[in-house]
Amino acid sequence: MVFSSITFLYYFLPIVLLAYYITPDRYKNITLLAGSYIFYAAGEPKYVVLLLISTLIDYVHARVIGRYPSSGKAKAALISSIVMNLSMLLFFKYADFMIDIFNGVSGREITPLGSSLPIGISFFTFQTMSYTIDVYRGQAKVQKNPLDLAAYVALFPQLIAGPIVRYKTIAKEIETRAHSMDLFGSGVIRFILGLAKKVFIANSLGQLAVVAKTANQPSVLLYWLGALAFALQIYYDFSGYSDMAIGLGRMFGFHFQENFNYPYISKSISEFWTRWHMSLGQWFRDYVYIPLGGNRRGMVRQVKNIAIVWLLTGLWHGASWNFVLWGAFLGFFIIIEKLILSQWLTRLPKFIAHLYVLLVVLVSFVMFNNENLAGMKVYFSGMFGGDNLGFINATSLYQLSSYSITLIVALIGATPIPKILIGKWAKIMNPGQGKLLASFSLVTIFLVITGYLVDDSFNPFLYFRF
Protein backbone atom coordinates (compact mmCIF):
# COMPACT_ATOMS: atom_id res chain seq x y z
CA MET A 1 0.00 0.00 0.00
CA VAL A 2 1.31 3.44 -0.90
CA PHE A 3 0.14 6.84 0.28
CA SER A 4 -0.67 7.88 -3.28
CA SER A 5 -3.38 5.25 -3.77
CA ILE A 6 -7.16 5.30 -3.60
CA THR A 7 -7.12 2.43 -1.11
CA PHE A 8 -4.96 4.39 1.33
CA LEU A 9 -6.62 7.79 0.88
CA TYR A 10 -10.27 6.73 0.97
CA TYR A 11 -10.29 3.54 3.03
CA PHE A 12 -7.26 2.86 5.20
CA LEU A 13 -6.43 6.38 6.44
CA PRO A 14 -9.98 7.49 7.34
CA ILE A 15 -10.66 4.22 9.21
CA VAL A 16 -7.37 4.35 11.14
CA LEU A 17 -7.83 8.03 12.02
CA LEU A 18 -11.38 7.39 13.25
CA ALA A 19 -10.30 4.37 15.30
CA TYR A 20 -7.33 6.28 16.70
CA TYR A 21 -9.29 9.32 17.87
CA ILE A 22 -12.10 7.35 19.48
CA THR A 23 -9.55 5.25 21.36
CA PRO A 24 -8.76 6.44 24.92
CA ASP A 25 -5.33 8.08 25.18
CA ARG A 26 -3.75 5.24 27.14
CA TYR A 27 -4.58 2.77 24.33
CA LYS A 28 -3.84 4.95 21.29
CA ASN A 29 -0.45 3.32 20.70
CA ILE A 30 -2.13 -0.09 20.49
CA THR A 31 -4.55 1.20 17.85
CA LEU A 32 -1.65 2.81 15.97
CA LEU A 33 0.36 -0.41 16.20
CA ALA A 34 -2.52 -2.49 14.84
CA GLY A 35 -3.06 -0.04 11.98
CA SER A 36 0.67 -0.04 11.18
CA TYR A 37 0.84 -3.84 11.02
CA ILE A 38 -2.21 -3.90 8.74
CA PHE A 39 -0.57 -1.25 6.55
CA TYR A 40 2.63 -3.28 6.23
CA ALA A 41 0.78 -6.57 5.77
CA ALA A 42 -1.11 -5.08 2.82
CA GLY A 43 2.15 -5.11 0.88
CA GLU A 44 4.27 -7.76 2.64
CA PRO A 45 2.11 -10.04 4.84
CA LYS A 46 4.79 -12.67 5.36
CA TYR A 47 7.35 -10.10 6.53
CA VAL A 48 5.28 -8.75 9.39
CA VAL A 49 7.09 -11.45 11.36
CA LEU A 50 10.35 -9.73 10.44
CA LEU A 51 9.08 -6.51 12.00
CA LEU A 52 8.21 -8.41 15.17
CA ILE A 53 11.63 -10.08 15.28
CA SER A 54 13.43 -6.77 14.70
CA THR A 55 11.45 -5.17 17.52
CA LEU A 56 12.05 -8.10 19.88
CA ILE A 57 15.80 -8.07 19.20
CA ASP A 58 16.23 -4.47 20.17
CA TYR A 59 13.74 -4.58 23.03
CA VAL A 60 15.61 -7.41 24.74
CA HIS A 61 19.09 -6.04 24.07
CA ALA A 62 18.17 -2.53 25.22
CA ARG A 63 16.72 -3.95 28.46
CA VAL A 64 20.04 -5.73 29.09
CA ILE A 65 21.97 -2.52 28.38
CA GLY A 66 19.69 -0.59 30.70
CA ARG A 67 20.11 -3.11 33.48
CA TYR A 68 23.91 -3.27 33.22
CA PRO A 69 24.96 0.21 32.01
CA SER A 70 28.63 0.93 31.27
CA SER A 71 29.58 -2.71 31.68
CA GLY A 72 30.92 -5.57 29.61
CA LYS A 73 27.45 -7.08 29.48
CA ALA A 74 26.05 -3.83 28.03
CA LYS A 75 28.76 -3.74 25.36
CA ALA A 76 28.17 -7.40 24.52
CA ALA A 77 24.43 -6.73 24.20
CA LEU A 78 25.09 -3.77 21.91
CA ILE A 79 27.39 -5.80 19.67
CA SER A 80 24.91 -8.68 19.61
CA SER A 81 22.08 -6.32 18.62
CA ILE A 82 24.10 -4.73 15.80
CA VAL A 83 25.24 -8.13 14.48
CA MET A 84 21.70 -9.54 14.49
CA ASN A 85 20.21 -6.46 12.80
CA LEU A 86 22.90 -6.31 10.14
CA SER A 87 22.65 -10.07 9.59
CA MET A 88 18.96 -9.73 8.72
CA LEU A 89 19.72 -6.83 6.40
CA LEU A 90 22.59 -8.69 4.74
CA PHE A 91 20.54 -11.84 4.26
CA PHE A 92 17.45 -10.27 2.75
CA LYS A 93 19.09 -7.46 0.78
CA TYR A 94 22.64 -8.50 -0.07
CA ALA A 95 22.83 -12.31 -0.07
CA ASP A 96 22.29 -12.70 -3.82
CA PHE A 97 24.69 -9.84 -4.57
CA MET A 98 27.41 -11.52 -2.49
CA ILE A 99 26.68 -14.89 -4.12
CA ASP A 100 27.09 -13.30 -7.56
CA ILE A 101 30.42 -11.78 -6.50
CA PHE A 102 31.59 -15.11 -5.07
CA ASN A 103 30.57 -16.93 -8.26
CA GLY A 104 32.43 -14.39 -10.38
CA VAL A 105 35.61 -14.63 -8.32
CA SER A 106 35.63 -18.40 -7.71
CA GLY A 107 34.14 -19.59 -10.99
CA ARG A 108 31.54 -21.61 -9.11
CA GLU A 109 27.80 -21.50 -9.81
CA ILE A 110 25.99 -21.25 -6.50
CA THR A 111 22.30 -20.63 -7.13
CA PRO A 112 21.08 -17.25 -5.81
CA LEU A 113 18.46 -17.43 -3.08
CA GLY A 114 15.99 -15.27 -5.00
CA SER A 115 14.25 -14.05 -1.86
CA SER A 116 12.07 -10.96 -2.19
CA LEU A 117 13.21 -7.73 -0.53
CA PRO A 118 11.09 -6.80 2.51
CA ILE A 119 9.69 -3.31 1.92
CA GLY A 120 11.45 -0.64 3.97
CA ILE A 121 13.94 -3.01 5.60
CA SER A 122 16.79 -0.50 5.24
CA PHE A 123 14.74 2.14 7.03
CA PHE A 124 13.34 0.19 9.97
CA THR A 125 16.62 -1.67 10.55
CA PHE A 126 18.51 1.61 10.87
CA GLN A 127 15.82 2.93 13.21
CA THR A 128 15.95 -0.03 15.57
CA MET A 129 19.75 0.01 15.58
CA SER A 130 19.78 3.71 16.47
CA TYR A 131 17.50 2.98 19.45
CA THR A 132 19.82 0.41 20.98
CA ILE A 133 22.95 2.46 20.26
CA ASP A 134 21.41 5.56 21.84
CA VAL A 135 20.40 3.57 24.94
CA TYR A 136 23.99 2.32 25.22
CA ARG A 137 25.32 5.87 24.88
CA GLY A 138 22.91 7.13 27.51
CA GLN A 139 21.15 9.36 24.97
CA ALA A 140 17.81 7.55 25.22
CA LYS A 141 15.94 5.86 28.04
CA VAL A 142 15.05 2.20 27.87
CA GLN A 143 11.49 1.64 26.71
CA LYS A 144 10.12 -0.98 29.09
CA ASN A 145 6.73 -1.31 27.39
CA PRO A 146 7.20 -3.66 24.39
CA LEU A 147 4.00 -2.40 22.75
CA ASP A 148 5.23 1.20 22.81
CA LEU A 149 8.54 0.19 21.24
CA ALA A 150 6.70 -1.88 18.65
CA ALA A 151 4.53 1.14 17.82
CA TYR A 152 7.70 3.19 17.23
CA VAL A 153 9.28 0.56 14.98
CA ALA A 154 6.14 -0.08 12.93
CA LEU A 155 4.84 3.51 12.83
CA PHE A 156 3.26 3.44 9.36
CA PRO A 157 3.76 7.09 8.31
CA GLN A 158 7.53 6.54 8.13
CA LEU A 159 7.81 2.75 8.13
CA ILE A 160 8.59 1.98 4.52
CA ALA A 161 10.46 5.04 3.25
CA GLY A 162 11.49 7.30 6.08
CA PRO A 163 12.47 9.80 7.13
CA ILE A 164 14.62 7.73 9.49
CA VAL A 165 13.06 8.78 12.78
CA ARG A 166 15.29 8.07 15.77
CA TYR A 167 13.66 6.92 18.95
CA LYS A 168 15.22 9.64 21.10
CA THR A 169 13.62 12.38 18.97
CA ILE A 170 10.08 11.13 19.61
CA ALA A 171 10.56 9.22 22.87
CA LYS A 172 8.37 11.62 24.84
CA GLU A 173 5.68 11.59 22.15
CA ILE A 174 5.63 7.78 22.13
CA GLU A 175 4.73 7.90 25.82
CA THR A 176 2.35 10.88 25.71
CA ARG A 177 1.59 13.43 23.01
CA ALA A 178 -0.68 16.39 22.52
CA HIS A 179 -3.33 16.51 19.81
CA SER A 180 -4.88 19.69 18.49
CA MET A 181 -6.87 20.92 15.52
CA ASP A 182 -4.01 23.24 14.56
CA LEU A 183 -1.49 20.38 14.52
CA PHE A 184 -3.91 18.10 12.69
CA GLY A 185 -4.72 20.82 10.14
CA SER A 186 -1.05 21.55 9.47
CA GLY A 187 -0.57 17.82 8.96
CA VAL A 188 -3.37 17.67 6.40
CA ILE A 189 -1.89 20.62 4.50
CA ARG A 190 1.59 19.09 4.51
CA PHE A 191 0.22 15.72 3.39
CA ILE A 192 -1.76 17.14 0.46
CA LEU A 193 1.18 19.25 -0.73
CA GLY A 194 3.44 16.19 -0.61
CA LEU A 195 0.83 14.14 -2.44
CA ALA A 196 0.62 16.84 -5.12
CA LYS A 197 4.41 16.80 -5.55
CA LYS A 198 4.29 13.04 -6.01
CA VAL A 199 1.28 12.77 -8.34
CA PHE A 200 1.49 15.96 -10.42
CA ILE A 201 5.25 16.31 -10.82
CA ALA A 202 7.14 13.11 -9.93
CA ASN A 203 4.84 10.78 -11.87
CA SER A 204 4.82 13.02 -14.93
CA LEU A 205 8.61 13.40 -14.98
CA GLY A 206 8.95 9.67 -14.41
CA GLN A 207 7.22 9.07 -17.72
CA LEU A 208 9.72 11.34 -19.49
CA ALA A 209 12.63 9.52 -17.83
CA VAL A 210 11.26 6.18 -19.06
CA VAL A 211 10.80 7.54 -22.61
CA ALA A 212 14.42 8.73 -22.67
CA LYS A 213 15.71 5.29 -21.64
CA THR A 214 13.57 3.33 -24.08
CA ALA A 215 13.25 5.60 -27.14
CA ASN A 216 13.80 3.96 -30.51
CA GLN A 217 15.08 7.23 -31.95
CA PRO A 218 17.09 8.93 -29.19
CA SER A 219 19.23 12.05 -29.40
CA VAL A 220 21.72 13.82 -27.16
CA LEU A 221 19.01 16.25 -26.10
CA LEU A 222 16.60 13.44 -25.21
CA TYR A 223 19.21 11.72 -23.04
CA TRP A 224 19.86 14.97 -21.14
CA LEU A 225 16.14 15.58 -20.79
CA GLY A 226 15.78 12.09 -19.35
CA ALA A 227 18.64 12.69 -16.91
CA LEU A 228 17.10 15.97 -15.76
CA ALA A 229 13.65 14.38 -15.53
CA PHE A 230 14.90 11.53 -13.35
CA ALA A 231 16.90 13.85 -11.05
CA LEU A 232 13.77 15.92 -10.49
CA GLN A 233 11.50 12.88 -10.32
CA ILE A 234 13.46 11.26 -7.51
CA TYR A 235 13.51 14.56 -5.62
CA TYR A 236 9.76 15.13 -5.91
CA ASP A 237 9.01 11.46 -5.35
CA PHE A 238 11.02 11.15 -2.16
CA SER A 239 10.59 14.66 -0.77
CA GLY A 240 6.87 14.37 -1.53
CA TYR A 241 6.74 11.09 0.37
CA SER A 242 8.65 12.70 3.25
CA ASP A 243 6.16 15.57 3.29
CA MET A 244 3.31 13.07 3.44
CA ALA A 245 5.04 11.17 6.27
CA ILE A 246 5.61 14.36 8.25
CA GLY A 247 2.00 15.41 7.65
CA LEU A 248 0.65 12.03 8.76
CA GLY A 249 2.87 12.17 11.82
CA ARG A 250 1.28 15.47 12.82
CA MET A 251 -2.20 14.01 12.37
CA PHE A 252 -1.27 11.43 15.02
CA GLY A 253 0.49 13.93 17.30
CA PHE A 254 4.12 13.33 16.25
CA HIS A 255 6.75 15.80 15.09
CA PHE A 256 9.11 14.13 12.59
CA GLN A 257 12.27 15.86 11.43
CA GLU A 258 12.57 17.49 8.03
CA ASN A 259 14.22 15.33 5.38
CA PHE A 260 14.88 17.76 2.51
CA ASN A 261 15.94 21.40 2.44
CA TYR A 262 16.04 22.56 -1.20
CA PRO A 263 19.12 20.52 -2.19
CA TYR A 264 19.17 21.85 -5.76
CA ILE A 265 20.11 25.34 -4.60
CA SER A 266 23.40 24.00 -3.20
CA LYS A 267 26.76 25.41 -4.26
CA SER A 268 28.80 22.28 -3.49
CA ILE A 269 28.25 18.53 -3.41
CA SER A 270 28.99 18.55 0.33
CA GLU A 271 26.21 21.08 0.85
CA PHE A 272 23.89 19.10 -1.43
CA TRP A 273 24.17 16.07 0.85
CA THR A 274 23.43 18.08 3.96
CA ARG A 275 20.15 19.08 2.29
CA TRP A 276 19.15 15.76 0.63
CA HIS A 277 17.72 12.85 2.67
CA MET A 278 19.02 14.58 5.79
CA SER A 279 17.94 11.83 8.18
CA LEU A 280 20.12 9.28 6.36
CA GLY A 281 23.13 11.61 6.18
CA GLN A 282 22.83 12.38 9.87
CA TRP A 283 22.51 8.66 10.68
CA PHE A 284 25.76 7.83 8.88
CA ARG A 285 27.46 10.87 10.47
CA ASP A 286 26.47 9.95 14.03
CA TYR A 287 26.76 6.16 13.87
CA VAL A 288 29.57 5.59 11.34
CA TYR A 289 31.61 8.70 10.48
CA ILE A 290 32.11 10.10 14.00
CA PRO A 291 32.77 6.67 15.64
CA LEU A 292 35.42 6.06 12.95
CA GLY A 293 37.13 9.25 14.05
CA GLY A 294 35.47 11.80 11.81
CA ASN A 295 37.86 14.64 11.04
CA ARG A 296 39.67 14.48 14.38
CA ARG A 297 42.63 12.32 13.36
CA GLY A 298 44.16 14.12 10.43
CA MET A 299 43.28 14.56 6.78
CA VAL A 300 44.31 11.07 5.66
CA ARG A 301 42.02 9.46 8.23
CA GLN A 302 39.21 11.88 7.35
CA VAL A 303 39.46 10.98 3.66
CA LYS A 304 39.36 7.28 4.57
CA ASN A 305 36.30 7.80 6.77
CA ILE A 306 34.46 9.76 4.05
CA ALA A 307 35.24 7.00 1.55
CA ILE A 308 33.89 4.32 3.90
CA VAL A 309 30.70 6.31 4.60
CA TRP A 310 30.00 6.88 0.92
CA LEU A 311 30.62 3.30 -0.12
CA LEU A 312 28.19 2.25 2.63
CA THR A 313 25.72 4.94 1.53
CA GLY A 314 25.82 3.55 -1.99
CA LEU A 315 25.31 -0.01 -0.78
CA TRP A 316 22.49 1.10 1.53
CA HIS A 317 20.54 2.17 -1.55
CA GLY A 318 20.82 -1.18 -3.27
CA ALA A 319 22.69 -4.45 -3.78
CA SER A 320 24.06 -3.59 -7.19
CA TRP A 321 27.34 -2.28 -8.62
CA ASN A 322 25.72 0.88 -9.95
CA PHE A 323 24.93 1.96 -6.39
CA VAL A 324 28.53 1.25 -5.33
CA LEU A 325 29.74 3.40 -8.24
CA TRP A 326 27.19 6.08 -7.37
CA GLY A 327 28.43 6.25 -3.79
CA ALA A 328 32.08 6.21 -4.83
CA PHE A 329 31.46 8.94 -7.42
CA LEU A 330 29.82 11.30 -4.93
CA GLY A 331 32.34 10.43 -2.21
CA PHE A 332 35.14 11.33 -4.64
CA PHE A 333 33.73 14.83 -5.21
CA ILE A 334 33.15 15.38 -1.49
CA ILE A 335 36.77 14.39 -0.78
CA ILE A 336 38.08 16.63 -3.58
CA GLU A 337 36.03 19.51 -2.19
CA LYS A 338 37.52 18.93 1.26
CA LEU A 339 41.06 18.84 -0.12
CA ILE A 340 41.01 21.40 -2.94
CA LEU A 341 37.75 22.68 -4.36
CA SER A 342 36.03 24.24 -1.35
CA GLN A 343 38.11 27.44 -1.41
CA TRP A 344 37.57 27.77 -5.16
CA LEU A 345 33.84 27.16 -4.99
CA THR A 346 33.37 29.97 -2.47
CA ARG A 347 35.06 32.40 -4.88
CA LEU A 348 33.11 31.37 -7.96
CA PRO A 349 29.95 33.21 -9.01
CA LYS A 350 26.97 31.44 -7.44
CA PHE A 351 25.58 30.63 -10.88
CA ILE A 352 28.72 28.69 -11.84
CA ALA A 353 28.78 26.83 -8.50
CA HIS A 354 25.13 25.82 -8.99
CA LEU A 355 25.89 24.55 -12.50
CA TYR A 356 28.78 22.48 -11.15
CA VAL A 357 26.48 20.87 -8.57
CA LEU A 358 23.72 20.21 -11.07
CA LEU A 359 26.09 18.60 -13.56
CA VAL A 360 27.63 16.27 -10.97
CA VAL A 361 24.21 15.38 -9.55
CA LEU A 362 22.73 14.67 -12.99
CA VAL A 363 25.62 12.37 -13.86
CA SER A 364 25.35 10.63 -10.47
CA PHE A 365 21.64 9.97 -10.92
CA VAL A 366 22.27 8.42 -14.32
CA MET A 367 24.37 5.87 -12.42
CA PHE A 368 21.62 5.53 -9.85
CA ASN A 369 18.95 4.92 -12.50
CA ASN A 370 20.81 2.25 -14.48
CA GLU A 371 21.34 -0.93 -12.47
CA ASN A 372 22.66 -2.62 -15.60
CA LEU A 373 26.23 -1.38 -16.18
CA ALA A 374 25.89 -1.94 -19.92
CA GLY A 375 22.78 0.25 -19.93
CA MET A 376 24.66 2.90 -17.97
CA LYS A 377 27.43 2.90 -20.58
CA VAL A 378 24.90 3.30 -23.40
CA TYR A 379 23.19 6.19 -21.58
CA PHE A 380 26.42 8.07 -20.92
CA SER A 381 27.51 7.51 -24.50
CA GLY A 382 24.21 8.97 -25.67
CA MET A 383 24.51 12.00 -23.39
CA PHE A 384 27.89 12.89 -24.86
CA GLY A 385 27.15 12.16 -28.48
CA GLY A 386 28.69 8.72 -28.82
CA ASP A 387 28.34 6.76 -32.07
CA ASN A 388 27.73 10.05 -33.93
CA LEU A 389 24.35 10.46 -32.28
CA GLY A 390 22.59 13.63 -33.37
CA PHE A 391 22.00 16.41 -30.89
CA ILE A 392 18.32 16.86 -31.64
CA ASN A 393 15.54 15.15 -33.59
CA ALA A 394 11.77 15.15 -33.90
CA THR A 395 11.30 12.82 -30.91
CA SER A 396 13.32 15.00 -28.56
CA LEU A 397 11.57 18.17 -29.75
CA TYR A 398 8.19 16.57 -29.18
CA GLN A 399 9.12 15.44 -25.66
CA LEU A 400 10.61 18.85 -24.85
CA SER A 401 7.46 20.65 -25.94
CA SER A 402 5.23 18.13 -24.14
CA TYR A 403 7.05 18.37 -20.80
CA SER A 404 8.41 21.92 -20.89
CA ILE A 405 5.76 23.33 -18.52
CA THR A 406 6.24 20.45 -16.05
CA LEU A 407 10.02 20.88 -16.14
CA ILE A 408 9.78 24.63 -15.55
CA VAL A 409 7.36 24.16 -12.65
CA ALA A 410 9.59 21.43 -11.20
CA LEU A 411 12.73 23.56 -11.44
CA ILE A 412 11.06 26.55 -9.80
CA GLY A 413 9.41 24.34 -7.18
CA ALA A 414 12.81 22.93 -6.19
CA THR A 415 13.80 26.40 -4.94
CA PRO A 416 12.45 28.49 -2.03
CA ILE A 417 10.70 30.85 -4.51
CA PRO A 418 7.16 29.38 -4.06
CA LYS A 419 7.49 29.47 -0.27
CA ILE A 420 8.64 33.09 -0.36
CA LEU A 421 5.79 34.12 -2.64
CA ILE A 422 3.21 32.34 -0.49
CA GLY A 423 4.62 34.06 2.59
CA LYS A 424 4.29 37.48 0.95
CA TRP A 425 0.78 36.66 -0.25
CA ALA A 426 -0.22 35.61 3.29
CA LYS A 427 0.94 38.95 4.70
CA ILE A 428 -1.19 41.06 2.38
CA MET A 429 -4.22 38.76 2.38
CA ASN A 430 -7.10 39.16 4.80
CA PRO A 431 -6.66 36.26 7.31
CA GLY A 432 -10.24 35.05 6.96
CA GLN A 433 -10.21 35.23 3.18
CA GLY A 434 -6.76 33.64 3.12
CA LYS A 435 -7.89 30.60 5.12
CA LEU A 436 -11.00 30.23 2.97
CA LEU A 437 -9.00 30.42 -0.26
CA ALA A 438 -6.35 28.04 1.08
CA SER A 439 -9.00 25.51 2.15
CA PHE A 440 -10.74 25.72 -1.22
CA SER A 441 -7.41 25.29 -3.03
CA LEU A 442 -6.44 22.24 -0.98
CA VAL A 443 -9.80 20.55 -1.49
CA THR A 444 -9.57 21.24 -5.22
CA ILE A 445 -6.03 19.87 -5.40
CA PHE A 446 -7.08 16.74 -3.54
CA LEU A 447 -10.06 16.11 -5.84
CA VAL A 448 -7.89 16.60 -8.94
CA ILE A 449 -5.30 14.19 -7.49
CA THR A 450 -8.09 11.65 -6.98
CA GLY A 451 -8.98 11.97 -10.65
CA TYR A 452 -5.35 11.40 -11.62
CA LEU A 453 -5.07 8.31 -9.42
CA VAL A 454 -8.31 6.82 -10.74
CA ASP A 455 -7.32 7.44 -14.34
CA ASP A 456 -3.54 6.91 -14.32
CA SER A 457 -1.83 3.54 -13.85
CA PHE A 458 1.69 5.07 -13.83
CA ASN A 459 2.29 5.60 -10.11
CA PRO A 460 5.71 4.19 -9.17
CA PHE A 461 7.45 4.82 -5.89
CA LEU A 462 11.22 4.78 -6.32
CA TYR A 463 12.26 4.27 -2.69
CA PHE A 464 10.27 1.05 -2.27
CA ARG A 465 13.35 -0.79 -3.50
CA PHE A 466 15.27 0.27 -0.40
Side-chain angles (χ1 to χ4, degrees), residues 197-207 233 236-237 458:
K197 287 166 69 173
K198 161 65 180 166
V199 174
F200 291 153
I201 301 178
N203 285 1
S204 179
L205 293 175
Q207 292 175 318
Q233 178 200 4
Y236 280 98
D237 193 85
F458 187 84

Side-chain angles (χ1 to χ4, degrees), residues 1-68:
M1 192 188 309
V2 295
F3 296 163
S4 54
S5 68
I6 296 297
T7 301
F8 179 85
L9 295 174
Y10 284 91
Y11 297 97
F12 177 82
L13 183 58
I15 292 171
V16 172
L17 281 171
L18 177 62
Y20 178 82
Y21 276 100
I22 64 175
T23 299
D25 287 350
R26 63 184 298 184
Y27 301 118
K28 283 190 185 300
N29 280 353
I30 297 176
T31 300
L32 195 54
L33 175 62
S36 296
Y37 279 144
I38 292 169
F39 175 83
Y40 194 79
E44 294 278 13
K46 64 182 179 181
Y47 287 133
V48 172
V49 176
L50 195 63
L51 269 180
L52 289 167
I53 293 172
S54 181
T55 303
L56 183 61
I57 287 171
D58 288 278
Y59 175 77
V60 171
H61 286 86
R63 290 298 301 268
V64 173
I65 293 169
R67 186 171 182 178
Y68 305 101

Side-chain angles (χ1 to χ4, degrees), residues 141-447:
K141 292 182 179 180
V142 176
Q143 176 53 257
K144 296 181 180 180
N145 186 332
L147 293 178
D148 283 352
L149 183 65
Y152 157 71
V153 174
L155 199 58
F156 79 86
Q158 46 79 65
L159 171 62
I160 57 176
I164 299 172
V165 178
R166 301 189 211 178
Y167 178 80
K168 64 181 180 182
T169 64
I170 61 168
K172 291 182 180 179
E173 292 178 339
I174 284 289
E175 305 243 342
T176 178
R177 51 193 174 274
H179 304 85
S180 69
M181 288 301 297
D182 286 343
L183 184 61
F184 188 91
S186 70
V188 172
I189 292 170
R190 189 67 179 268
F191 180 86
I192 292 176
L193 292 177
L195 185 62
K197 287 166 69 173
K198 161 65 180 166
V199 174
F200 291 153
I201 301 178
N203 285 1
S204 179
L205 293 175
Q207 292 175 318
L208 175 57
V210 170
V211 168
K213 284 183 70 173
T214 59
N216 293 324
Q217 295 180 317
S219 67
V220 172
L221 176 60
L222 186 59
Y223 278 118
W224 280 96
L225 282 175
L228 177 61
F230 181 77
L232 290 170
Q233 178 200 4
I234 196 169
Y235 168 69
Y236 280 98
D237 193 85
F238 194 21
S239 70
Y241 196 99
S242 294
D243 288 340
M244 288 186 275
I246 291 168
L248 286 169
R250 292 178 186 175
M251 293 182 207
F252 291 97
F254 293 97
H255 294 79
F256 299 157
Q257 73 174 96
E258 296 294 333
N259 212 24
F260 288 84
N261 184 25
Y262 303 109
Y264 286 117
I265 68 171
S266 302
K267 297 182 288 297
S268 70
I269 300 302
S270 300
E271 180 188 357
F272 183 90
W273 285 102
T274 62
R275 292 173 174 271
W276 179 285
H277 200 348
M278 295 186 290
S279 62
L280 179 65
Q282 291 162 6
W283 198 98
F284 273 111
R285 179 197 65 198
D286 294 343
Y287 299 115
V288 179
Y289 181 69
I290 291 176
L292 286 173
N295 59 0
R296 302 187 304 273
R297 301 181 183 177
M299 184 57 72
V300 174
R301 186 64 176 268
Q302 183 183 8
V303 168
K304 179 182 177 181
N305 293 341
I306 292 172
I308 291 171
V309 165
W310 275 95
L311 285 173
L312 291 176
T313 301
L315 277 171
W316 180 89
H317 282 85
S320 176
W321 284 113
N322 70 304
F323 294 117
V324 176
L325 289 174
W326 174 79
F329 178 79
L330 291 168
F332 169 79
F333 277 95
I334 290 172
I335 290 169
I336 293 299
E337 287 180 0
K338 295 286 185 185
L339 296 176
I340 304 170
L341 282 181
S342 59
Q343 56 183 325
W344 292 96
L345 289 172
T346 56
R347 298 173 186 172
L348 287 174
K350 291 182 179 180
F351 179 72
I352 301 298
H354 289 316
L355 284 180
Y356 152 74
V357 171
L358 290 175
L359 178 61
V360 172
V361 170
L362 284 181
V363 171
S364 75
F365 278 134
V366 171
M367 298 177 181
F368 194 97
N369 194 31
N370 286 273
E371 294 187 22
N372 185 297
L373 296 183
M376 186 191 303
K377 181 180 178 181
V378 169
Y379 205 101
F380 277 129
S381 176
M383 287 176 68
F384 296 100
D387 296 326
N388 296 316
L389 186 67
F391 178 78
I392 195 168
N393 60 16
T395 301
S396 57
L397 283 175
Y398 174 77
Q399 297 300 332
L400 178 60
S401 63
S402 298
Y403 289 94
S404 58
I405 300 299
T406 305
L407 286 168
I408 292 170
V409 170
L411 288 168
I412 295 173
T415 72
I417 291 174
K419 185 177 181 179
I420 293 171
L421 293 176
I422 291 173
K424 290 182 177 180
W425 168 78
K427 288 180 180 180
I428 62 174
M429 195 78 176
N430 177 282
Q433 292 177 337
K435 288 183 178 180
L436 183 62
L437 181 59
S439 299
F440 176 78
S441 299
L442 288 169
V443 171
T444 302
I445 289 171
F446 188 76
L447 291 175

